[in-house]
Amino acid sequence: MTATTFGANFSDGYALGVIGAALPILDTTMGLSGAWSGLLGASALIGLFLGSVLLGSVADRIGRQRLYLYNFILITIASALQMWTTDPAALFALRLLIGFGLGADYAVGPTLLSEFAPQRLRGLLLGSLTVLWTVGYVAANIFGALIPATDQAAHLLLASGSLPALLVLVLRIGIPESPSWLATQGRYTEAAEIRRTFLKQDIDPQAAPPTPAEPTPTVRYRELFAPGQATKTWFGIIFYSAQVLPYFAIYTFTAQILGTLNIGDTTAQNIVIDVALLLGGVLGLWPMLRMGRRPFTVHSFLVLAVALGAMAVLSDAGSWALMIPFVAYTFVMAGASNITQVYPAELFPTALRASGVGLLNGSSRIASALGTFLLPVSLGALGVGWTMGWMTLVLLVGWAVSLAWAPETRDTLTAEEWHH
């Protein structure tokens, strides 16, 4: 379960990273306009929104397991077909489908893993999903730097995302249904058998759960905004969106940003940024686990806003002076992003978990797509200083909302059990 969910996040990071690496080549070989460049950069993010929102509620109705398997059939096929796209509209459609499949996994993957993981390991495992996403993203950047600047090489790079997706698909065959979800449907015998077979837990299916669980055949999104749940839902939407909007915008168009900053040795700068992404992701797990969810989120937003604000103020300084806050932002953002896979699964009860996780991921991808589409336009119209300035304001909104509403969910139970 952990390996295939990790693999999915690697595939997601890789799929979103290759478009950033391929776009500078495709801009020339396909003659892309600024609008098409922005649309292609945002295409998978738009699909992620649709897949997360539409299929998250489906997973709460029909279970997690089937979507967990079938979505990667779509991702594998659509990724491979990118090899033969000859116009931007076809490429946009394929990347929309890839994003749709990945959106389903954003809703189902962390949900299913959280419902199998023991509480003592849940934060580490869910947080590590973002680390694997970063590894995939950096791998795409490395391959993108090594390929020749030809149309065929760019399409081959895009299609290479089908290889990790195929591996994930094969390994997911035989993954069981979530016993926690089965319990919410009153299917205690099936849940007990899965716990006995896969988790070595001897559970009596006839024993009543500590809190009687009623079958929930239909889950409606309005339940996510019911009294007692609404504040958590709104916090999740705003915190997640505020964090990823500048993230995806900046790292999809890193080459353009470095060019605007008149960076000379872009290869060396990219290496520094990739190393900062990897180190930040790995080292960021420790403070998240030690500090707790709320203080980690509040403090990281403030540090990120300071780093990006420094870039806005120093936009006319030398390239290496600008790289200091850029690398600091990259390092902290990579670590802060770990919480985006942990918080959503802990904010919602089992019957609403996939719907809630899907909604949070979907709404955040709308913010990501908006930022990705606007950034090249903003760089051209406003310059790098003002562009970094308005993205700093986005981070400050996330900080203020987290300060007001962020709950502490470290001790939340997501894998409900019943005992003799």
Side-chain angles (χ1 to χ4, degrees), residues 117-139:
Q119 183 182 346
R120 63 187 175 82
L121 293 178
R122 187 181 65 233
L124 176 63
L125 294 180
L126 292 175
S128 297
L129 293 176
T130 303
V131 177
L132 268 294
W133 186 97
T134 303
V135 172
Y137 190 86
V138 170

Side-chain angles (χ1 to χ4, degrees), residues 134 137-138 141 247 251 272-282 330 334:
T134 303
Y137 190 86
V138 170
N141 286 340
Y247 185 106
Y251 297 113
V272 171
I273 291 171
D274 288 342
V275 170
L277 280 171
L278 290 173
L279 288 178
V282 173
T330 300

